[in-house]
Amino acid sequence: CRACHTNHSIEKLENRLSARADVMRFTSKEIQTIMRSFGTPLPERTWRRWRKEGRVKIRGYMRPDNADGTRGAIGLTRRSDADKPVYRLAEVRKTYTMSIRHADSTCKKEAM
């Protein structure tokens, strides 16, 4: 760090950020952006299916952004049509991992 002249482990910082993000809730658009940044893009069709099937559940609703440009608060209930559903990142990542494992095992069975 140029400011404090400390050496930081990028891997540790990434792991800490990832763990923190896992417990946070994000909108659908944010989830797709985050998954893409992790190198695990989530096709829109798959994302829609997971939500419809209940594999990923709504974990609250984000209110519209504040007038000062900061992110809106998240509540458990929807107050207006402007409130957007939010999802827990850890749940999405777990569903993605399970989906990949299932696809791998299905391919192996078909190859036999």
Side-chain angles (χ1 to χ4, degrees), residues 12-58:
K12 278 185 182 178
L13 291 172
E14 286 175 342
N15 289 339
R16 200 175 311 152
L17 179 60
S18 178
R20 185 169 176 236
D22 269 346
V23 298
M24 294 174 68
R25 295 172 287 179
F26 299 95
T27 65
S28 183
K29 187 175 181 178
E30 291 169 332
I31 288 285
Q32 290 184 302
T33 300
I34 292 166
M35 293 297 287
R36 215 175 11 262
S37 74
F38 283 147
T40 51
L42 187 56
E44 178 62 36
R45 187 173 165 192
T46 301
W47 178 232
R48 246 181 302 168
R49 188 180 79 245
W50 287 357
R51 290 180 289 162
K52 183 179 179 182
E53 293 173 351
R55 293 168 82 181
V56 176
K57 298 187 183 339
I58 295 172

Side-chain angles (χ1 to χ4, degrees), residues 56-94:
V56 176
K57 298 187 183 339
I58 295 172
R59 299 299 181 190
Y61 294 89
M62 183 173 30
R63 313 289 180 233
D65 289 341
N66 300 312
D68 64 1
T70 58
R71 191 172 194 235
I74 294 177
L76 295 178
T77 59
R78 184 175 234 161
R79 291 185 186 164
S80 76
D81 290 341
D83 292 354
K84 297 178 186 174
V86 290
Y87 308 87
R88 199 168 300 284
L89 182 61
E91 190 174 346
V92 175
R93 292 177 70 184
K94 181 179 179 182

